[in-house]
Amino acid sequence: MSVPDGRMFVTERPGAIRVIEDGKLAPEPLIEFSAPFNEEGEGGLLGLAADPDFEDNGYLYAYHSYLEGDDIANRVLRLKVNDGKAVIDQELLGNIPGGTNHNGGRIKIGPDKLLYITTGERYEPELSQNEGSLGGKILRIGLDGSIPADNPWPNSPVYSMGHRNAQGLAWNPDNGYLYSTEHGQRNHDEINRIVAGENYGWPEVEGDDDDNGAYQAPLAHSGNDTWAPSGVAFVEEGPWGGSLIVANLRGEQLLKVTLSEDGTQVKKVEPIFEDEWGRIRNVSAGEDGKLYVLTNNRDGRGSPRDGDDKLIVLTPES
């Protein structure tokens, strides 16, 4: 994630935000989280987003796991950056269901300048269909932690429900459509178009099954294959313009997803860079037209290669 002064911030799951400046990794982290921070299993320091007015206010937003008594939970913090260091400014949302696995964790600021948050269901599928739980949802809050008045459920941060473990968020700025990636149980990993107030069916349905319209079916899914989709980016311009690029963990590839002109259907899903870099955690589109790809082979599930993990820069070509 980059900010206007050219710095890039990268989260490390054990609890540090690292800084890349002029192509070099700074030796000292921006911040290192301490107790009650927790990094068991898939938990730890996960999502990160920069305030649209970062140049003026220095705010970053971070999602991380922490201990709440004997339980693992997740929370969203606002950080304040000053003189090359960050401090915790405010907790915006806490007590998000967490566990050793399935913590969700992606946060992005939408075109409406509100904060969107993906959450997991910590292997308790019933949370996804419970309107009163923050687990298995996509949430939306203000940058001060407030609940937007036009959220689908009154006085609730819940924006959509019925998710298993969504891990990617991206918008098409031309029409405002929000897309998300989601892990299936064994396969049937999903690419969804997110509509406020809709139910995406987990654990009642998966794949193309929408129970006769009771739930939102995905735009595309992996069938009997496993993608393990994580971060996703929408490419605005250039030869890949109008496409989604999806990072795959177990699939060890990127997916180039060609959308219909109106953005409501998937026309083609094409694997690219298969088996070249191992597990891929995230992909983001820079204002320079390049794609920034982050590998994730040192998480206990991958096979680290020389110099892992890496930030790879791609220039899309026809």
Side-chain angles (χ1 to χ4, degrees):
M1 182 207 70
S2 60
V3 293
D5 63 16
R7 284 180 296 174
M8 299 184 71
F9 298 135
V10 179
T11 60
E12 293 180 334
R13 196 177 57 78
I17 298 177
R18 304 297 300 276
V19 182
I20 299 173
E21 193 167 9
D22 297 327
K24 296 181 180 179
L25 180 67
E28 295 297 322
L30 189 73
I31 187 174
E32 289 184 281
F33 290 93
S34 56
F37 176 86
N38 181 268
E39 58 160 316
E40 292 180 59
E42 295 174 357
L45 179 56
L46 303 174
L48 186 69
D51 193 282
D53 297 319
F54 177 85
E55 282 184 293
D56 297 324
N57 60 31
Y59 287 150
L60 297 176
Y61 304 88
Y63 182 109
H64 79 74
S65 308
Y66 70 103
L67 290 177
E68 183 70 49
D70 294 331
D71 294 328
I72 299 173
N74 294 293
R75 64 180 181 175
V76 179
L77 301 177
R78 186 169 72 189
L79 311 177
K80 175 74 172 180
V81 179
N82 189 34
D83 292 331
K85 289 293 181 181
V87 296
I88 296 174
D89 177 71
Q90 182 181 346
E91 179 180 295
L92 301 185
L93 184 64
N95 290 312
I96 299 169
T100 53
N101 295 309
H102 289 201
N103 290 286
R106 190 74 56 191
I107 59 175
K108 289 279 188 75
I109 296 173
D112 52 9
K113 294 189 177 181
L114 296 172
L115 189 63
Y116 292 72
I117 305 153
T118 72
T119 71
E121 34 64 281
R122 68 178 184 196
Y123 286 134
E124 296 179 19
E126 65 275 10
L127 297 183
S128 300
Q129 292 297 321
N130 181 349
E131 292 181 12
S133 171
L134 301 184
K137 308 294 192 299
I138 292 176
L139 312 177
R140 182 174 76 152
I141 62 174
L143 299 183
D144 59 357
S146 60
I147 305 299
D150 61 346
N151 268 12
W153 287 274
N155 302 312
S156 170
V158 175
Y159 188 74
S160 64
M161 61 185 293
H163 301 286
R164 184 171 181 268
N165 191 26
Q167 290 199 356
L169 295 169
W171 282 265
N172 178 340
D174 293 334
N175 53 31
Y177 287 164
L178 170 60
Y179 300 95
S180 180
T181 60
E182 182 171 335
H183 288 237
Q185 184 171 21
R186 294 183 181 85
N187 39 46
H188 292 99
D189 300 317
E190 297 180 354
I191 298 169
N192 288 298
R193 184 168 77 88
I194 303 302
V195 178
E198 293 294 337
N199 189 326
Y200 289 79
W202 179 256
E204 304 302 323
V205 297
E206 63 178 352
D208 295 319
D209 184 8
D210 63 1
D211 193 15
N212 296 314
Y215 304 105
Q216 289 287 313
L219 297 187
H221 61 82
S222 65
N224 292 324
D225 294 331
T226 301
W227 296 333
S230 190
V232 58
F234 183 86
V235 181
E236 296 185 36
E237 300 178 351
W240 294 1
S243 299
L244 293 169
I245 306 298
V246 181
N248 284 192
L249 291 163
R250 186 169 179 181
E252 298 193 355
Q253 62 193 359
L254 295 175
L255 299 177
K256 181 174 177 287
V257 180
T258 303
L259 300 169
S260 61
E261 189 171 348
D262 66 1
T264 63
Q265 298 180 54
V266 165
K267 296 173 64 177
K268 184 179 181 181
V269 178
E270 177 186 0
I272 54 177
F273 299 105
E274 296 176 82
D275 301 321
E276 291 200 22
W277 303 311
R279 293 164 59 82
I280 301 178
R281 172 62 64 181
N282 198 17
V283 56
S284 60
E287 294 183 0
D288 55 7
K290 294 181 170 60
L291 292 172
Y292 294 83
V293 178
L294 196 63
T295 67
N296 194 184
N297 294 313
R298 299 176 66 184
D299 61 354
R301 296 185 177 181
S303 299
R305 308 175 186 203
D306 187 37
D308 265 337
D309 279 313
K310 299 176 182 177
L311 178 64
I312 296 163
V313 185
L314 301 178
T315 302
E317 296 181 350
S318 300

